[in-house]
Amino acid sequence: MPKSTRRTFLTVSAATIAAGVSGEAQAAERRNPSPAPELRAILRDIDPQRIEATIRRLVAFGTRHTLSVQDDPNRGIGAARDWLFAELQRYAATSSGRMTVELQSFIQPVSSRIPVPTRITNVVARLRGSVTPERVYVVTGHYDSRVTDVMNATSDAPGADDDASGVAVVLELARVLATRTPEATIVLAAVAGEEQGLYGSDHLAQSFKDAGADVQAMFSNDIVGTGNAHDGTANDPRTVRLFVEGVPTAETAAEATIRKSVGGENDGPSRQLGRFVDDVASNEQTGMRVRTIWRRDRYLRGSDHISFLLRGYPAARFTEPRENFAHEHQDVRVENGVQFGDLIEFCDFAYIARVARVNAAALWSLSQAPGTPKGVVIDTTQLTNETTLRWNPNPEPDLAGYEIVWRETTAPDWTHSRKVGNVTTFTIDLSKDNVFFGVRALDRNGNRSPAAAPQPSS
Ligand SMILES: [Zn+2]
């Protein structure tokens, strides 16, 4: 890339002057104002009774174990698959052709938790974006379930919280969004094979990779059933955790070398996504606080977002604030007066509806805003006390321009921002050595993309 063509030089100068005229940088606007009317209507439409009905139906299949029967109309994962497919097709029928539903099947070969080659099927609804359909946002829940022995395919495995709750979020989003027109594509998927080794999401993520899809965010909803751990601790019904990694799972050796040299462990794409979700979804309309946890997942556990992280896609996991491990991955039984098992009586449908609202706020805000800027670099050809950033132009027709954000290296979230207009390079009078930078894209309605952190470049 040329160091400084005459054209970029002029653009930089003009932009620098413009910023000087417009005055000092503002403090970063931490919270988006009240959601736009269309998002408020979406949040209102999310219905706890629909969520309850979905979970009751899924539990009624007895077991949804990945190795369970696939051709019984009433019991097992095959019956659950067919019901999910029919339900999503019903929603798609209201979408004027924008939503399509697919059974995405493959044969999983023998592995440690798959004793014989097994057909695994994801049920995938795709709501095509109206402006930039190539830009994709994905939400999943897993519809398979398990008991104590992960190979037990016949005992009742209600899986109400793990993870009928997440599937109910996916279905409710599909129902409510089917009649709307997002600018980017939204994929809502019930995946299988999670408990056996994330196989369904692995296949889904690989299918996006093979298609060269531009997946800009993925959320796994896994164990989002209640704020009440039923263990004597206080109910926490207004909190949902969002697990977001820092150092990218898919980081290359070359990227690791750069990070060790100049930092950036809190600036991976998933962590930027976490900041974005907190901004747009912790508010009165969702009724929730997104408690961002700076970890890929909990100890000894891992969910379907990892399949996307492995392929370099930004991804995160929603889960309830505090778990009761006697209700997860357990045979249904009473022992010493304690009820074990993942039963529907421990689910709070109003809580799950609020988690669905958090997902909807994140998805709608992502799809209506411009995409995350790409190719963002920080000029490191010279040792100077100012900073030049460059990036690729965004494709959205309603793009208004860009905003540079920054913070002290010790701060968790952006503290300052400066609108820089519709340019693709900007020089700011701050030392790149002293703060962390990001670039966000803005549209004419004031919607902001997630931030992208710059990589060093000549
Ligand atoms: Zn799970």
Side-chain angles (χ1 to χ4, degrees):
M1 201 176 279
K3 184 165 104 181
S4 175
T5 62
R6 180 167 164 73
R7 183 146 174 255
T8 45
F9 174 75
L10 288 174
T11 313
V12 171
S13 305
T16 309
I17 291 161
V21 169
S22 75
E24 295 301 304
Q26 317 87 339
E29 290 166 58
R30 274 280 290 126
R31 298 281 163 213
N32 275 9
S34 190
E38 190 166 25
L39 176 53
R40 285 205 299 275
I42 289 168
L43 299 180
R44 272 198 307 271
D45 283 356
I46 291 172
D47 180 356
Q49 291 183 342
R50 303 290 310 204
I51 283 168
E52 175 175 358
T54 296
I55 297 173
R56 285 202 186 284
R57 189 68 197 89
L58 288 171
V59 167
F61 293 114
T63 178
R64 305 184 306 278
H65 194 279
T66 295
L67 304 171
S68 65
V69 59
Q70 296 202 18
D71 56 1
D72 183 313
N74 301 312
R75 184 176 177 87
I77 194 163
R81 169 202 63 208
D82 293 347
W83 180 79
L84 289 166
F85 185 51
E87 198 69 3
L88 284 171
Q89 282 184 309
R90 219 156 57 75
Y91 305 153
T94 69
S95 74
S96 309
R98 289 189 309 276
M99 181 181 279
T100 52
V101 187
E102 168 201 10
L103 288 176
Q104 185 186 64
S105 287
F106 61 101
I107 302 295
Q108 178 62 37
V110 172
S111 65
S112 62
R113 293 179 170 189
I114 301 281
V116 294
T118 301
R119 176 174 295 276
I120 294 178
T121 304
N122 299 322
V123 191
V124 184
R126 192 177 304 256
L127 183 59
R128 187 180 157 81
S130 61
V131 180
T132 48
E134 62 283 357
R135 179 158 57 99
V136 180
Y137 300 101
V138 182
V139 176
T140 68
H142 71 85
Y143 72 97
D144 61 311
S145 64
R146 63 168 285 187
V147 290
T148 306
D149 174 6
V150 71
M151 305 304 280
N152 179 340
T154 54
S155 293
D156 276 354
D161 195 348
D162 186 11
D163 182 35
S165 66
V167 175
V169 166
V170 165
L171 257 60
E172 188 60 357
L173 291 171
R175 187 184 71 84
V176 168
L177 294 177
T179 54
R180 270 113 181 168
T181 313
E183 293 181 16
T185 293
I186 293 174
V187 173
L188 301 161
V191 298
E194 197 268 353
E195 305 289 6
Q196 310 310 111
L198 310 181
Y199 291 122
S201 60
D202 186 77
H203 186 83
L204 180 65
Q206 187 60 41
S207 73
F208 285 120
K209 199 79 192 168
D210 290 345
D214 184 16
V215 177
Q216 296 205 1
M218 180 273 185
F219 302 102
S220 170
N221 285 267
D222 194 354
I223 311 181
V224 293
T226 177
N228 188 348
H230 299 276
D231 61 357
T233 58
N235 193 1
D236 190 6
R238 301 273 169 186
T239 301
V240 63
R241 289 183 292 174
L242 182 65
F243 279 82
V244 286
E245 70 175 16
V247 174
T249 292
E251 184 181 73
T252 64
E255 288 163 348
T257 301
I258 292 167
R259 180 175 51 76
K260 287 168 192 165
S261 152
V262 294
E265 53 276 7
N266 288 325
D267 283 83
S270 299
R271 198 142 283 174
Q272 308 296 1
L273 184 60
R275 293 183 175 110
F276 179 92
V277 174
D278 184 29
D279 268 359
V280 300
S282 290
N283 56 44
E284 277 177 23
Q285 279 73 28
T286 63
M288 291 294 258
R289 170 178 75 114
V290 178
R291 181 177 183 183
T292 306
I293 310 274
W294 283 5
R295 295 199 150 104
R296 190 170 74 172
D297 211 323
R298 301 108 73 235
Y299 284 97
L300 304 177
R301 297 290 175 94
S303 185
D304 292 308
H305 61 306
I306 294 173
S307 297
F308 284 74
L309 294 174
L310 283 166
R311 289 162 176 89
Y313 293 131
R317 176 196 186 151
F318 286 112
T319 200
E320 60 196 35
R322 183 182 165 89
E323 291 161 89
N324 186 325
F325 296 101
H327 299 164
E328 298 174 12
H329 302 187
Q330 291 284 345
D331 293 334
V332 179
R333 67 194 190 279
V334 177
E335 228 172 69
N336 302 323
V338 177
Q339 177 70 63
F340 286 79
D342 193 351
L343 299 170
I344 195 166
E345 67 202 61
F346 299 119
C347 284
D348 173 349
F349 309 113
Y351 176 87
I352 302 166
R354 286 192 293 276
V355 174
R357 290 187 187 110
V358 166
N359 276 266
L363 271 183
W364 197 254
S365 302
L366 284 165
S367 67
Q368 302 314 90
T372 308
K374 295 183 189 223
V376 182
V377 295
I378 193 163
D379 189 304
T380 51
T381 51
Q382 290 172 9
L383 297 175
T384 64
N385 285 316
E386 57 185 19
T387 300
T388 297
L389 296 161
R390 292 192 297 273
W391 53 91
N392 301 340
N394 269 56
E396 293 80 11
D398 62 346
L399 186 81
Y402 300 88
E403 181 172 72
I404 291 174
V405 291
W406 66 92
R407 66 181 199 274
E408 286 291 303
T409 60
T410 51
D413 202 353
W414 306 114
T415 54
H416 291 78
S417 65
R418 185 183 287 177
K419 291 193 173 78
V420 298
N422 197 354
V423 298
T424 55
T425 183
F426 191 82
T427 297
I428 195 163
D429 53 354
L430 291 165
S431 167
K432 56 189 164 293
D433 297 324
N434 294 349
V435 295
F436 283 125
F437 286 105
V439 178
R440 300 197 282 220
L442 309 174
D443 72 10
R444 290 194 209 108
N445 294 323
N447 296 311
R448 295 183 168 80
S449 75
Q455 292 293 310
S457 173
S458 55

